[in-house]
Amino acid sequence: MSQLSTRHLLGIKDINEEDIRLIFETADNFKEVINRPIKKVPSLRDITIANIFFENSTRTKLSFELAEKRLSADIVNFSSSNSSVKKGETLIDTVNNILSMKVDMVVMRHSSPGAPHFLSKNIKANIVNAGDGTHEHPTQALLDSFSIREKLGDVAGKKVAIIGDILHSRVALSNIFCLQKLGAEVMVCGPITLIPKHIASLGVKVEYDVRKALAWCDVANVLRIQLERQQIKYFPSLREYSLYYGINKKMLDNLDKEIVIMHPGPINRGVELNSDVADSKQSIILNQVENGVAVRMAVLYLLAGGK
């Protein structure tokens, strides 16, 4: 298999295991490229990509932009904060105006779940979902699984605990789909108020005690508390959350095995992770950032048809 089964990357739910493995194999090649003295290849020299972000982003936007530049693509950056969206322009009109400038691919982040799916039914360009509300964040899940594969050799058979604000996290859902398709066991852990009511129906284990989750897993993917998405209080205070669900070095040292620590960023140090954990040798957080560029290069290259 040398091409993806889909024209878009809207969510992990919409792709199959073969697609994921092809992305990983392609990312292996691009990781070698970005570690060369000359980090650029002309693979997408004739492709124009629009980065359309309706929500704030640092890591994802920089990672996509760097991936596009490494592939020699032409880039158009769009931010809704200083655009005609503020004047009442619709999503379709905004994107069609950008596409009329002969853009081949759209990388989009939007606060509304399903926005990239809606767009894919109305425009001809390839679409990459860079996060849609609390729904999915496919490239983050791909780079997380790629990082586990790089660190542990394979994802199949590994036990992965996703710990934190599961309810508001698009990273959690995409990770669940991706890890399961690659044969991993998945557990979610957090306060009962931050665990979706019927999440066990996705085939994941549910745990409310962080120490039990750490004892069970091979990999702990720790999520931040998404205060900007919370309309009501789900726990008394960040201090109390940290007391019950914050992970420190002493907790890791008390385990009878060494586990891998991951975090999609940004980290709230002293809340979900202490610095002695985030900066420890068990942490692969910076590897995730590096792998993000290679994985996004692979996604863009494959969606462009491997030109």
Side-chain angles (χ1 to χ4, degrees):
M1 184 175 163
S2 59
Q3 63 182 45
L4 298 176
S5 64
T6 175
R7 285 189 63 240
H8 312 287
L9 181 61
L10 303 176
I12 301 296
K13 194 174 184 178
D14 305 312
I15 61 175
N16 56 43
E17 185 188 344
E18 288 72 30
D19 289 328
I20 296 170
R21 295 200 183 280
L22 176 61
I23 290 167
F24 286 0
E25 287 162 15
T26 311
D28 285 332
N29 295 325
F30 283 132
K31 185 151 187 195
E32 188 260 317
V33 167
I34 62 176
N35 282 295
R36 293 179 192 165
I38 298 171
K39 300 172 176 64
K40 210 164 186 178
V41 287
S43 306
L44 299 188
R45 191 170 46 196
D46 55 343
I47 300 292
T48 304
I49 302 173
N51 297 315
I52 304 178
F53 280 69
F54 291 88
E55 272 191 325
N56 292 335
S57 173
T58 304
R59 272 157 217 74
T60 303
K61 192 173 182 181
L62 282 175
S63 186
F64 267 113
E65 216 172 304
L66 198 53
E68 291 151 8
K69 286 178 177 174
R70 296 282 185 251
L71 292 166
S72 305
D74 294 318
I75 304 167
V76 179
N77 283 319
F78 169 91
S79 171
S80 64
S81 60
N82 50 13
S83 75
S84 292
V85 171
K86 292 287 182 189
K87 302 172 188 174
E89 188 172 62
T90 67
L91 174 61
I92 288 286
D93 284 341
T94 298
V95 175
N96 276 330
N97 273 283
I98 293 167
L99 292 182
S100 67
M101 301 173 201
K102 308 305 176 195
V103 168
D104 303 292
M105 198 179 296
V106 172
V107 175
M108 187 173 83
R109 168 168 288 187
H110 202 281
S111 59
S112 299
H117 301 72
F118 170 72
L119 211 57
S120 70
K121 293 178 173 68
N122 289 279
I123 67 170
K124 290 180 180 177
N126 304 95
I127 295 171
V128 181
N129 180 3
D132 59 331
T134 56
H135 181 224
E136 277 218 51
H137 192 351
T139 56
Q140 182 67 50
L142 289 167
L143 74 90
D144 286 348
S145 290
F146 183 84
S147 300
I148 293 171
R149 168 181 172 266
E150 182 181 69
K151 179 71 175 177
L152 301 179
D154 198 4
V155 179
K158 301 298 181 290
K159 294 178 177 179
V160 182
I162 304 172
I163 301 169
D165 186 354
I166 311 298
L167 185 64
H168 300 96
S169 175
R170 52 186 166 219
V171 173
L173 190 59
S174 287
N175 259 289
I176 289 167
F177 290 145
C178 193
L179 291 164
Q180 287 179 335
K181 286 183 181 187
L182 294 172
E185 286 183 69
V186 184
M187 172 186 284
V188 294
C189 175
I192 194 167
T193 52
L194 292 176
I195 303 285
K197 194 177 283 185
H198 302 292
I199 197 163
S201 65
L202 293 177
V204 300
K205 298 178 189 298
V206 179
E207 179 57 66
Y208 303 110
D209 185 332
V210 71
R211 286 170 176 77
K212 289 181 182 176
L214 293 174
W216 174 85
C217 72
D218 302 307
V219 179
N221 196 349
V222 187
L223 308 177
R224 72 182 177 88
I225 297 298
Q226 306 215 4
L227 293 173
E228 72 277 12
R229 297 190 194 281
Q230 296 180 10
Q231 306 300 321
I232 60 172
K233 284 186 83 73
Y234 289 87
F235 48 85
S237 66
L238 284 177
R239 183 175 177 275
E240 186 158 326
Y241 179 87
S242 177
L243 199 63
Y244 286 95
Y245 288 94
I247 298 171
N248 57 51
K249 195 69 169 72
K250 187 179 179 184
M251 290 164 70
L252 298 187
D253 291 342
N254 286 338
L255 300 175
D256 58 5
K257 59 183 176 182
E258 191 170 283
I259 65 169
V260 176
I261 298 293
M262 303 175 72
H263 196 300
I267 304 169
N268 289 323
R269 288 176 183 257
V271 181
E272 70 268 12
L273 279 183
N274 279 12
S275 289
D276 56 5
V277 174
D279 302 328
S280 70
K281 63 183 177 63
Q282 288 168 254
S283 164
I284 59 167
I285 295 169
L286 292 179
N287 303 70
Q288 288 173 262
V289 178
E290 181 184 349
N291 290 336
V293 177
V295 166
R296 288 175 176 122
M297 285 174 76
V299 167
L300 295 167
Y301 173 78
L302 291 166
L303 286 177
K307 292 170 185 173

